[in-house]
Amino acid sequence: MCTAALIHFAVFALTLISAISGEDYPPRAQNVSWSSFNFKTILTWSPKHTNFSYTVQFSRLDKDKTTHCIRTRETECDLTDKLDNLRDTYTADVISEPMPSANTDFVELPHTSAPRFCPYKETKIGSLKFKVVQNEDKTKMELHIQDPLTAVKKNGRPMNIREIFREDLMYKVQYSKAGSTGKSKAQGRKNVVEINKLEEGVSYCFTVAAYIPSRKSDHQMGSWSVPVCWPQKAGPGSFFEEISWTWLAAGAAILLVILVLLIIMIVQCCKRARLSKKIKMEAATTITAITTTV
């Protein structure tokens, strides 16, 4: 207990003396960790400082180290394009470096090692997009799943997760009746997952996620997607959403026929009015002519 307290006091005193004397004494990086999403991989650490910098050294396991993000003032280093062999395990060190003008006699610069990291086994997989297709059999629906793109490029083109994981990639599905809390589950290996034994005429809500069973349990699941419900139910009071497009087309056709008939009736009425007026004018002219003759 006393020994630990003395050690903490010594570190504090050394830091205080360095600050007072103006000497640039770089502390070790802390909280060094990997952040990887869809193979966009960044090494992060703390603290951020102004009077010293960091340099990152990384390598495949038991291979020569490569230097990157040299003398950066930032607290992160993007290694996405450097970890080109996704199945390999990588190590990394964050080295704390004093300013070039500082007088230091370090035999070895302070550094902190990151945990070992394998992109293929540990990168987080984002949520998927999909659409629901109603099968001719009203008790079946198909989920057409779209694989998200990753930060990995091949021939200048981003690869999707299926191109990377191949047969290791599966999909998990959760679904339930709209408004119900009870959930059913399904899974599949292909981008089209068929859901069977559904109740005809009932709306169901679906959500999907990437599933990689070859990984350790805490890295197997990707993020769950936004739920999609089908058939879609219109909200109360929304007339145009409650009726189908067929009924809308039929209604439009009826309105068009009524409009045409109305136009014809108006034209006929106008013709009759003009004819009646003409007859009255001719009659008046005839009467005037007879009166004049008499």
Side-chain angles (χ1 to χ4, degrees), residues 26 47 83 85 94 96 101 107 110 125 132 152 172 176 195 231 239 248 255 262:
L83 312 184
N85 193 328
V94 179
S96 303
S101 59
V107 176
I125 305 300
V132 181
V152 180
K172 282 199 171 185
S176 62
I195 309 298
F239 175 76
L248 285 175
L255 288 175
L262 185 61

Side-chain angles (χ1 to χ4, degrees), residues 140-176:
K140 297 180 182 179
M141 291 188 191
E142 292 180 350
L143 307 186
H144 293 241
I145 302 170
Q146 179 182 346
D147 294 317
L149 297 177
T150 70
V152 180
K153 294 183 178 181
K154 184 177 182 180
N155 300 324
R157 179 186 64 83
M159 300 175 69
N160 62 43
I161 59 172
R162 169 63 66 183
E163 293 173 305
I164 295 175
F165 290 108
R166 300 180 181 272
E167 294 303 315
D168 280 347
L169 176 62
M170 297 180 65
Y171 307 98
K172 282 199 171 185
V173 179
Q174 290 184 346
Y175 62 97
S176 62

